[in-house]
Amino acid sequence: MELTLWTYEGPPHVGAMRIASSMEGVHYLLHAPQGDTYADLLFTMIERRGKRPPVTYTTFQARDLGGDTAELVKGHIREAVDRFKPQALLVGESCTAELIQDQPGSLASGMGLNLPIVSLELPAYSKKENWGAAETFYQLLRGLLKEHVTPSSSEHDSTKWKEQNRKPKVNLLGPSLLGFRCRDDILEIKKLLNDNGIDVNVIAPLGATTADLIKIPTADLNICLYPEIAESACVWLERNFGMPFTRTVPIGVGATQDFLKELNEILQIPNPKEPLIDQSKLTWYSKSVDSNYLTGKRVFIFGDGTHAIAASRIAKQELGFEVVGLGTYSREMARPVRAAAKAMGLEALITNDYLEVEAAIEEAAPELVLGTQMERHSAKRLGIPCAVISTPMHVQDVPARYSPQMGWEGANVIFDAWVHPLMMGLEEHLIGMFRHDFEFVDGHQSHLGHLGGQEAKEEFSTTIQQEQSKFSAPEETGSPVWTSEGKEALSKIPFFVRGKVRRNTEKYARQAGCRNIDSETLYDAKAHYKA
């Protein structure tokens, strides 16, 4: 284990809490010391929910370790069942309690309780939060449906809806609390399916009951919206009930179109309605003259596997960006992320060390970062625009407004979230570049009036001094010195690549034996590295 300031994922029992909190009528008995109850804050603070998670902690203390902690577990199980009367009980332990080896799941199973009990064995020292959520959902689904598995249950026909003279119906699997925009994604996908004549049978785990999970095999098809959470459950349903599931996640215009085509092929919907991709403003923008300003922008992408892969496709194929970095913290999604990176001529970054990601961002010198809240902080330190595309997220990334990532409207949200930081950065650069012109400083009054004249001159002078102070002294003995002419030329370089240009120019000057760096040296360095 490593000590760290931030972590991309919590321990697996937090993933189990996400499943329990997402569902109705499910309670989680967590064998844990009092300090592990911090996870409650994730739901009340980030999700801004009006109720705490349905979790009962045993909250043992140091003095309890000298007695029978197994009886302590049993007592809390009885109290939780009597008080909350759940439809199903999840029983597990936190990373700290795992060391005691009380096996609370076995204890609960032997108590003769009249309700389904799912014992969770989540290895806290080798697995993380998303894996814990996926394993919990899979074990709960398997526990409730194992009695329904028969030799003939795997004989599934996804086109039976035609014989039964009804609309095809599907399950949406994977959305959960603390997922990225899951609430809004569900609404968008339901609308998308309804427009294409498809009904939704069950949405799980978010908002589902145990009775809903038992109804899952009655659908024609499973839609795996978030593979990190639902893929293992979908594979089990396919193996035991013959239910196919979708492989395309509808994030972005192209992926949404491919998603609908995949649905039509599996369900054999006759004469499928051609999707109207121009429902999204993203396609309009990509065809517009304005998009030329951002074509070829260098983008670094890091997040969970699902959103990172989707973002790389959108950036490269739909917005015309150049992807200069792609990675994920989710080791369970490492293989598809590596494949996506390889297709772009990149080596994927698979790590859960945010400092390693920050170093990779600095090395790649992108003009936009798409990542988690950690990358937002890293990008801010590096002076690079950033948009959050994945968990872990801050409360500001859980908007009260409708803000999906999936479907046509999701493409609109992505278009706004990614393009606006770049446009504002370009605007900031142009203002800084031309602020010394007479129209800004020589008594000229703009539509803002009070910002012209002497105040603008003083502000510009302060800005130049701040810029020059960054490289006024040599970094090391023998390093080349920037002349005033060189400093002025460097200040005109866009802020998001200025650091890289400065480092490359100084490196070139040392190699060429230049003691002073003027504008001519800067342009020579540019030509050298372009060659």
Side-chain angles (χ1 to χ4, degrees):
M1 296 184 68
E2 296 179 353
L3 292 176
T4 182
L5 178 64
W6 285 329
T7 180
Y8 287 100
E9 296 181 88
H13 72 262
V14 173
M17 288 179 64
R18 287 173 57 184
I19 302 303
S21 302
S22 298
M23 296 186 63
E24 301 292 335
V26 175
H27 199 80
Y28 185 25
L29 189 287
L30 183 60
H31 190 28
Q34 190 168 359
D36 284 351
T37 60
Y38 73 90
D40 278 17
L41 293 175
L42 296 173
F43 299 90
T44 56
M45 181 180 70
I46 295 179
E47 282 282 358
R48 294 183 284 194
R49 282 167 58 83
K51 57 182 179 180
R52 62 178 298 275
V55 181
T56 294
Y57 300 90
T58 58
T59 56
F60 62 84
Q61 302 179 47
R63 63 173 178 266
D64 297 318
L65 300 180
D68 189 353
T69 51
E71 286 302 317
L72 180 70
V73 172
K74 289 182 179 180
H76 279 87
I77 290 174
R78 292 190 190 95
E79 291 175 8
V81 172
D82 290 343
R83 178 182 177 185
F84 297 104
K85 297 178 173 52
Q87 300 168 11
L89 183 68
L90 306 176
V91 183
E93 52 201 348
S94 73
C95 46
T96 311
E98 184 180 329
L99 302 174
I100 304 175
Q101 298 185 343
D102 277 332
Q103 298 183 329
S106 299
L107 294 174
S109 299
M111 292 176 63
L113 300 173
N114 188 26
L115 77 164
I117 296 174
V118 178
S119 175
L120 300 176
E121 295 183 7
L122 308 177
Y125 297 96
S126 60
K127 298 294 183 180
K128 296 287 187 179
E129 178 183 329
N130 279 338
W131 183 90
E135 179 69 8
T136 301
F137 184 51
Y138 160 71
Q139 292 291 353
L140 180 57
L141 195 67
R142 182 184 176 194
L144 293 171
L145 288 175
K146 61 184 178 182
E147 295 179 357
H148 298 265
V149 177
T150 64
S152 61
S153 62
S154 60
E155 298 174 2
H156 182 84
D157 183 3
S158 294
T159 64
K160 187 172 285 187
W161 60 274
K162 297 180 180 180
E163 301 173 8
Q164 297 176 350
N165 196 28
R166 59 172 173 81
K167 290 183 179 180
K169 56 184 180 181
V170 299
N171 301 312
L172 305 183
L173 302 184
S176 70
L177 293 178
L178 293 183
F180 194 74
R181 310 282 174 85
C182 290
R183 174 200 66 189
D184 297 342
D185 283 348
I186 290 173
L187 296 176
E188 182 64 19
I189 295 303
K190 285 176 68 176
K191 180 178 182 298
L192 189 68
L193 295 172
N194 183 65
D195 290 345
N196 285 269
I198 301 172
D199 288 338
V200 174
N201 181 48
V202 170
I203 301 170
L206 190 58
T209 64
T210 55
D212 290 329
L213 296 190
I214 293 173
K215 286 166 45 182
I216 283 178
T218 64
D220 301 303
L221 170 72
N222 290 320
I223 293 178
C224 185
L225 283 183
Y226 305 95
E228 283 91 347
I229 307 300
E231 188 171 40
S232 55
C234 287
V235 169
W236 185 83
L237 288 165
E238 184 177 50
R239 186 171 60 247
N240 290 277
F241 291 93
M243 299 183 70
F245 66 95
T246 58
R247 266 69 174 181
T248 307
V249 179
I251 300 178
V253 172
T256 300
Q257 189 170 3
D258 291 346
F259 168 75
L260 290 173
K261 288 180 179 178
E262 185 180 9
L263 280 178
N264 291 332
E265 288 175 4
I266 296 174
L267 297 172
Q268 295 184 17
I269 298 177
N271 302 317
K273 180 182 178 183
E274 186 65 23
L276 300 174
I277 61 173
D278 286 338
Q279 292 181 60
S280 170
K281 289 291 185 181
L282 190 151
T283 55
W284 163 84
Y285 176 78
S286 298
K287 298 174 186 174
S288 71
V289 175
D290 288 348
S291 68
N292 293 335
Y293 295 113
L294 302 183
T295 299
K297 289 295 182 183
R298 295 163 56 83
V299 181
F300 189 99
I301 301 170
F302 191 88
D304 67 48
T306 295
H307 289 89
I309 292 171
S312 67
R313 176 177 178 176
I314 297 169
K316 183 176 178 66
Q317 299 181 13
E318 298 174 19
L319 288 171
F321 296 160
E322 179 188 354
V323 179
V324 296
L326 176 61
T328 182
Y329 57 81
S330 178
R331 297 198 177 273
E332 289 76 28
M333 293 288 287
R335 182 174 296 177
V337 171
R338 283 195 178 101
K342 185 177 180 180
M344 296 183 178
L346 301 170
E347 183 177 350
L349 177 62
I350 312 297
T351 182
N352 57 10
D353 184 349
Y354 69 94
L355 293 176
E356 186 178 350
V357 179
E358 182 172 325
I361 293 172
E362 187 171 13
E363 177 65 25
E367 294 156 279
L368 175 67
V369 174
L370 304 174
T372 73
Q373 70 158 330
M374 265 91 102
E375 282 65 57
R376 174 165 49 205
H377 287 289
S378 296
K380 186 175 182 179
R381 282 195 294 273
L382 297 171
I384 305 171
C386 179
V388 174
I389 63 165
S390 160
T391 56
M393 58 192 175
H394 193 269
V395 63
Q396 72 187 72
D397 304 307
V398 188
R401 67 184 183 280
Y402 183 59
S403 187
Q405 295 288 284
M406 295 184 177
W408 309 127
E409 187 59 28
N412 286 337
V413 172
I414 289 171
F415 161 63
D416 284 342
W418 298 10
V419 169
H420 289 177
L422 282 172
M423 296 302 290
M424 292 302 294
L426 179 62
E427 181 178 302
E428 182 180 336
H429 164 62
L430 292 175
I431 290 174
M433 186 173 178
F434 294 108
R435 187 175 285 156
H436 61 286
D437 285 5
F438 76 95
E439 292 186 12
F440 285 89
V441 298
D442 289 340
H444 180 79
Q445 295 291 311
S446 71
H447 68 287
L448 296 178
H450 62 284
L451 294 182
Q454 187 62 30
E455 290 184 13
K457 286 183 179 179
E458 293 174 357
E459 185 180 353
F460 172 70
S461 177
T462 302
T463 302
I464 292 297
Q465 290 175 10
Q466 290 173 347
E467 286 291 334
Q468 292 181 352
S469 68
K470 295 178 183 178
F471 47 87
S472 57
E475 291 184 351
E476 56 187 43
T477 304
S479 293
V481 178
W482 287 82
T483 66
S484 57
E485 182 189 1
K487 294 173 185 177
E488 183 178 354
L490 183 63
S491 68
K492 295 180 180 180
I493 302 294
F495 70 95
F496 36 75
V497 292
R498 192 176 299 151
K500 184 176 182 181
V501 171
R502 179 193 164 201
R503 290 193 299 272
N504 285 346
T505 304
E506 291 175 351
K507 181 179 178 182
Y508 169 80
R510 283 192 292 269
Q511 292 173 349
C514 298
R515 289 290 301 150
N516 297 318
I517 300 176
D518 55 17
S519 60
E520 193 70 25
T521 310
L522 190 149
Y523 296 133
D524 288 345
K526 179 181 178 182
H528 171 77
Y529 285 106
K530 262 194 166 185

